[in-house]
Amino acid sequence: MPQRPDPQEQARVMQARTAAIVVAATMVLWLGAQFAGGQMGLPVRYVFLFDFAALAAFFWALVVGFRLWRARQAKE
């Protein structure tokens, strides 16, 4: 009979998946915004806004990844 997965481990897996999706989506959206901004001739301040939004998303994913790593270290 298969073992039931640990609910805490399932929560960690979901957090890791969310962080991975955020990183991938941020990269695609950021590249698209850079391309569109260049094509439309947006002012530099809007381009920086996209950059800062991407940095915030990457920082959030980094913090989540660090917390997951620390939780795994504490478990072992």
Side-chain angles (χ1 to χ4, degrees), residues 5-58:
D6 180 25
Q8 288 180 342
E9 187 63 29
Q10 283 183 328
R12 286 189 204 109
V13 167
M14 289 301 295
Q15 285 180 338
R17 284 182 186 161
T18 302
I21 290 169
V22 166
V23 168
T26 298
M27 195 67 204
V28 169
L29 290 173
W30 178 70
L31 287 172
Q34 294 295 316
F35 177 76
Q39 293 295 317
M40 295 189 311
L42 287 177
V44 175
R45 65 180 181 207
Y46 293 118
V47 176
F48 277 127
L49 182 64
F50 295 136
D51 291 343
F52 288 135
L55 283 172
F58 288 136

